[in-house]
Amino acid sequence: MDADELLPRVADGDHKAFEDLYALVSGPVYGLVRRVLRDPAQSEEVAQEVLLELWRTAGRFDPARGTALSWILTLAHRRAVDRVRSARAAGDRERRAAHRGEGPPFDQVAEEVEGSLEREWVRRCLERLTDLQHQALTLAYYDGYTYREVARRLSVPLGTVKTRMRDGLLRLRDCLGAAA
């Protein structure tokens, strides 16, 4: 029997037909996968995956689109190419991760100066806010209070705190944008 006769029987769950189909196509499947992957161990693994997939998806074969062997070899080729792409992507990820660790040497003095300048800009911009905006933002962002807690501490309605904080943040953004 050939693959075109065996595959519909495999789709019906015929174990003997699958054994015969396996014996018929395992060599060509392994050979094709081996040409793509070149690594014998990975080729064996991918060939087994293809044959397992063949057992599970035999019902998807459409004889109007080609022969059973061409369909099976297409499955094998796709799976092998997927493995190559996966290995390449993993290598690319590893290289990118390695490059992230190769940044320029840390310049602590420059970092401290830059941080000091940024803190000074924020301080200057905070001074330009209204008292309520300044107090609300300081309580929320420096002291860690929630909006409700800020409203209670300042004895103002929650909606007022939210509005003042939103307006204050917009003014801070504009101020800091101009300072940068």
Side-chain angles (χ1 to χ4, degrees):
M1 280 192 166
D2 67 359
D4 290 307
E5 297 168 335
L6 292 170
L7 198 55
R9 291 177 44 203
V10 170
D12 290 335
D14 185 335
H15 291 274
K16 175 66 173 123
F18 182 69
E19 287 177 27
D20 294 342
L21 184 63
Y22 186 98
L24 184 67
V25 301
S26 60
V29 165
Y30 175 77
L32 174 66
V33 170
R34 179 84 160 82
R35 282 192 300 278
V36 174
L37 295 178
R38 295 195 175 106
D39 178 285
Q42 281 204 20
S43 298
E44 288 175 11
E45 186 178 320
V46 170
Q48 288 301 316
E49 290 172 7
V50 169
L51 293 165
L52 182 61
E53 181 181 359
L54 181 60
W55 170 254
R56 288 189 310 236
T57 64
R60 294 183 190 161
F61 170 65
D62 180 4
R65 299 184 72 191
T67 67
L69 185 59
S70 66
W71 183 71
I72 293 167
L73 293 177
T74 299
L75 290 176
H77 186 262
R78 286 181 183 158
R79 182 63 64 105
V81 168
D82 286 348
R83 178 66 62 98
V84 169
R85 287 179 180 152
S86 175
R88 188 173 294 145
D92 290 346
R93 280 191 303 274
E94 288 174 10
R95 279 188 290 284
R96 282 193 305 271
H99 286 302
R100 278 193 293 265
E102 294 177 359
F106 178 68
D107 186 349
Q108 186 174 358
V109 174
E111 288 287 324
E112 287 179 17
V113 168
E114 190 174 316
S116 176
L117 288 173
E118 288 174 355
R119 283 189 297 279
E120 183 58 33
W121 285 336
V122 171
R123 239 181 263 117
R124 285 183 185 167
C125 290
L126 278 171
E127 289 171 2
R128 295 181 181 175
L129 301 178
T130 66
D131 285 340
L132 186 56
Q133 290 171 339
H134 185 278
Q135 289 172 333
L137 288 172
T138 301
L139 288 170
Y141 289 97
Y142 288 103
D143 298 335
Y145 289 105
T146 66
Y147 283 19
R148 285 191 198 293
E149 292 169 334
V150 170
R152 265 190 247 117
R153 290 184 68 86
L154 297 177
S155 301
V156 294
L158 178 61
T160 302
V161 166
K162 288 180 179 181
T163 301
R164 295 306 177 264
M165 288 184 67
R166 185 195 71 228
D167 293 345
L169 287 171
L170 290 172
R171 288 181 66 188
L172 270 178
R173 182 194 67 194
D174 292 342
C175 179
L176 291 171

